[in-house]
Amino acid sequence: MGKKQRLDKILSNMGYGSRKDIKRVIRDGRVEVNNRIVMDNSLKIDPYVDRITLDNMRIQYREHIYLMLNKPKGVVSSTNDPMNRTVLDLVDIEYLIFKPFPVGRLDKDTEGLLLLTNDGQLAHELLSPKKGVHKTYYAKVNGTVDDSHRELFSDGISLDDGYRTLPAELKIFESNLFSEVELTIREGKFHQVKRMFQAIGMEVMYLKRISMGELKLDETLELGEYRELTEEEIALLKEKR
Ligand code: URA
């Protein structure tokens, strides 16, 4: 059970048009509530309980959506960009009507986990420096990463602008001319992972985010694919508030 809201507001919040458009749609007799045509756009109903249809199609009310995208290279994680494809170009209209936005940014050449939602409160909390939500990246770098680097990262390292990073956890999988690592950070400075490796004289050749807080990238998603979070995943993200 939710709280009662105006019918026109519910439909317009769900992206079915402006309040003016909705008023017309209702006056045209296209909307039914509990199997009765409604003519009054200001009718107050409980969208979680009352059955709404538009042109005989059931409207399943929800306020928030949560999508996990496996971001490919070459798309930017902003909501509009005149020069580049954005992550929203990968999302179907059935979700775009909820006006999702990416939670944080991945560079154009970074792949992996990007959460898209219209839940501003959750996004704010996940990005808040105070909460220190951890993010884990898989990276291939051109250099031999060893235990000394692991210690440097766990102590905190100075970036090109003098900023000293918080302790970060480095796992080394392959240590050779090129190395394969996983790095977990608890902050999100601009190009942070790339700049941390720059600070030890290495360049990140490939970068993929594999987790954010308790949310892990679903590896069955192909690059460019997305899916809704499960109830459990949403609960995990909200749990640590
Ligand atoms: N750090 C980076 O350098 N790039 C990203 O896309 C994310 C973290």
Side-chain angles (χ1 to χ4, degrees):
M1 269 243 292
K3 104 175 170 293
K4 288 202 169 190
Q5 299 175 46
R6 282 175 65 122
L7 181 58
D8 53 3
K9 187 154 180 262
I10 295 168
L11 291 172
S12 112
N13 284 350
M14 286 187 72
Y16 286 95
S18 65
R19 294 275 278 274
K20 204 168 143 211
D21 296 334
I22 302 294
K23 195 171 172 180
R24 196 171 327 115
V25 168
I26 291 173
R27 292 280 153 85
D28 288 346
R30 293 165 59 191
V31 177
E32 289 182 13
V33 174
N34 302 328
N35 304 319
R36 286 221 165 125
I37 293 178
V38 175
M39 287 292 174
D40 176 6
N41 57 295
S42 69
L43 180 73
K44 286 200 161 181
I45 62 164
D46 180 340
Y48 288 103
V49 173
D50 295 311
R51 185 178 189 279
I52 313 169
T53 61
L54 169 61
D55 294 336
N56 298 320
M57 300 276 284
R58 177 88 194 261
I59 290 176
Q60 200 67 52
Y61 181 74
R62 51 194 178 147
E63 194 178 353
H64 293 135
I65 55 148
Y66 304 88
L67 304 174
M68 170 193 297
L69 169 71
N70 186 2
K71 179 191 169 300
K73 282 193 176 98
V75 295
V76 294
S77 39
S78 51
T79 44
N80 65 52
D81 183 316
M83 306 293 285
N84 294 288
R85 287 181 79 208
T86 77
V87 287
L88 291 185
D89 292 326
L90 301 170
V91 175
D92 285 345
I93 186 71
E94 71 172 292
Y95 294 110
L96 288 179
I97 60 171
F98 290 94
K99 302 193 176 68
F101 54 85
V103 179
R105 298 238 162 149
L106 290 178
D107 296 337
K108 188 173 172 184
D109 61 354
T110 301
E111 294 179 353
L113 175 64
L114 189 65
L115 174 66
L116 300 166
T117 184
N118 57 353
D119 184 343
Q121 174 74 21
L122 181 68
H124 177 75
E125 288 174 14
L126 289 171
L127 296 175
S128 157
K130 273 197 224 126
K131 299 271 173 182
V133 170
H134 52 271
K135 284 141 294 216
T136 300
Y137 295 86
Y138 166 83
K140 283 187 191 159
V141 299
N142 70 344
T144 313
V145 181
D146 60 29
D147 286 350
S148 69
H149 301 120
R150 194 170 50 212
E151 277 164 32
L152 277 174
F153 281 3
S154 91
D155 287 347
I157 191 162
S158 292
L159 301 182
D160 45 7
D161 58 359
Y163 175 77
R164 199 175 168 79
T165 59
L166 293 174
E169 193 191 329
L170 185 64
K171 281 190 192 156
I172 305 169
F173 298 121
E174 172 81 39
S175 172
N176 223 311
L177 235 48
F178 290 89
S179 301
E180 287 180 44
V181 298
E182 254 177 43
L183 179 64
T184 301
I185 57 176
R186 286 167 181 75
E187 51 198 333
K189 300 285 171 207
F190 186 59
H191 296 327
Q192 180 157 344
V193 175
K194 290 175 185 164
R195 288 163 69 213
M196 286 176 75
F197 281 99
Q198 216 174 54
I200 56 168
M202 295 180 201
E203 195 188 339
V204 171
M205 316 298 289
Y206 173 81
L207 190 61
K208 172 183 176 182
R209 181 155 63 193
I210 53 179
S211 71
M212 183 177 196
E214 301 303 314
L215 185 64
K216 296 198 175 20
L217 176 66
D218 178 345
E219 297 282 352
T220 67
L221 289 174
E222 301 281 343
L223 287 167
E225 282 186 348
Y226 63 91
R227 66 159 170 80
E228 287 195 49
L229 297 196
T230 62
E231 291 295 326
E232 290 77 25
E233 287 169 331
I234 296 170
L236 276 176
L237 275 182
K238 292 184 173 177
E239 200 162 73
K240 296 223 167 135
R241 282 180 163 182

